[in-house]
Amino acid sequence: MFIGIDWGGTKMEVIALDRDGETRARHRVPTPTSGYEDCIRAVVELVASAESTAGERGSIGIGIPGSPNPRTGIVRNSNAVLINGKPLGRDLAAALGREVRLANDANCLAVSEAVDGAGKDAGVVFGVIVGTGHGGGLAIGKKVHAGYQGVAAEIGHYPLPWMTKDEYPGHRCWCGKLGCLDMYACGTGLELDYRMTTGTDRRGRDIIEAKRAGDPVAIGVYGRFVDRLARSLALLTNIVDPDVFVLGGGMSNVDEIYGELPASITRYLFGDSFETPIRKAVHGDSSGVRGAAWLWKD
């Protein structure tokens, strides 16, 4: 049995899968905000609950919003700040009495979709989270490719490619740098563009509905969002050229982007056409937790 935990900023979710990917147990709780040790206890309780329900002991994989340093095991770059600077893998292994595998949550998305999702027929799957932020994960041969530094596919924090004069030098990102894609090719970027264009706030879903109804301002904001996402995928194609892109996160549910992205990507690609499939994640919001479980699918 394979147990996966999705450690998010607001909730923790556990799933137990059998070898065929069928769910044996599933449960979620709010992520504790009272301290690091309380978070460790919450994970232990989630594992105990899943194993009690399934009646079997399992391997444990955990997807986190950050990444462990491959040499020290110390977590960095997490917006769940309680785990930054902590040897999370070692602490969890001690608390659970067994080895634990950690991976960035976007890498878990890529693995999930590579094993039995939208990329199951592909050798190289690039998962792109287009939600509140913009992130990426890379699976090769249905396994995480984290890279030598453990930060492969951290696409949210390279600058928006091919910036226009009006875009330069870019918005200030939460990481402290200017122009990061995490502030553009995502729901946050869509809403920020609308606010800067109109001086008013509007939720992403409402902007999309206004675009569909023919509102010219919303159409312009949406068009810039698609163009910026296309620039990210074009750069990734020039560098990685994966067999398939799989999109997850809230903005991946905007169905029209799949028909509009290829032409936009071609304008930036080093080549004369773009043929790579771009697919919506089959497992949707469950991709992260399923991918965490599949970290042990050797």
Side-chain angles (χ1 to χ4, degrees):
M1 189 173 70
F2 303 90
I3 295 174
I5 291 178
D6 182 14
W7 183 319
T10 59
K11 59 90 178 170
M12 288 182 175
E13 182 174 13
V14 66
I15 198 169
L17 303 174
D18 65 19
R19 290 190 174 274
D20 296 321
E22 296 298 318
T23 300
R24 301 275 301 280
R26 190 166 188 170
H27 184 55
R28 66 170 56 183
V29 297
T31 302
T33 58
S34 49
Y36 179 71
E37 295 300 329
D38 288 338
C39 289
I40 298 293
R41 279 191 288 272
V43 170
V44 172
E45 291 167 4
L46 282 171
V47 171
S49 172
E51 292 183 332
S52 175
T53 299
E56 187 178 348
R57 184 179 170 92
S59 58
I60 302 171
I62 301 180
I64 61 172
S67 61
N69 183 301
R71 275 159 290 286
T72 68
I74 300 298
V75 173
R76 66 276 167 93
N77 304 328
S78 176
N79 57 11
V81 295
L82 285 174
I83 61 177
N84 281 328
K86 303 290 188 181
L88 182 61
R90 293 197 294 273
D91 290 343
L92 285 170
L96 290 160
R98 72 194 95 163
E99 184 183 354
V100 173
R101 292 183 179 176
L102 298 181
N104 175 265
D105 49 10
N107 281 326
C108 290
L109 163 74
V111 168
S112 172
E113 295 298 321
V115 170
D116 60 359
K120 65 181 180 181
D121 56 345
V124 181
V125 177
F126 207 112
V128 181
I129 294 178
V130 195
T132 303
H134 184 78
L138 182 58
I140 301 175
K142 305 187 188 303
K143 299 181 186 299
V144 169
H145 178 77
Y148 187 79
Q149 302 288 340
V151 293
E154 284 284 6
I155 62 177
H157 297 283
Y158 60 62
L160 175 66
W162 297 283
M163 274 191 180
T164 66
K165 181 180 178 181
D166 291 338
E167 290 168 337
Y168 185 82
H171 306 307
R172 178 74 63 182
C173 181
W174 62 266
C175 75
K177 296 182 174 63
L178 290 170
C180 292
L181 269 163
D182 215 33
M183 301 297 292
Y184 287 96
C186 57
T188 296
L190 184 82
E191 294 173 359
L192 179 58
D193 191 346
Y194 190 89
R195 184 187 314 130
M196 294 184 68
T197 302
T198 66
T200 60
D201 289 323
R202 199 168 192 178
R203 294 185 304 175
R205 70 185 69 174
D206 295 331
I207 297 170
I208 297 300
E209 289 306 314
K211 186 273 297 186
R212 290 169 177 164
D215 179 87
V217 174
I219 289 172
V221 170
Y222 168 78
R224 289 189 290 275
F225 161 76
V226 172
D227 180 72
R228 289 160 178 167
L229 179 57
R231 290 184 237 172
S232 177
L233 299 188
L235 186 60
L236 292 173
T237 303
N238 286 339
I239 296 171
V240 180
D241 199 6
D243 298 323
V244 62
F245 286 108
V246 179
L247 306 188
M251 294 298 293
S252 72
N253 295 316
V254 181
D255 290 335
E256 48 263 53
I257 66 176
Y258 297 92
E260 296 168 356
L261 276 170
S264 295
I265 292 170
T266 301
R267 291 200 297 269
Y268 299 103
L269 198 64
F270 185 63
D272 57 359
S273 66
F274 177 81
E275 307 294 339
T276 310
I278 304 174
R279 300 171 183 162
K280 185 190 298 186
V282 167
H283 297 295
D285 292 341
S286 298
S287 286
V289 72
R290 291 177 66 89
W294 290 142
L295 293 176
W296 284 89
K297 192 174 176 63
D298 294 326

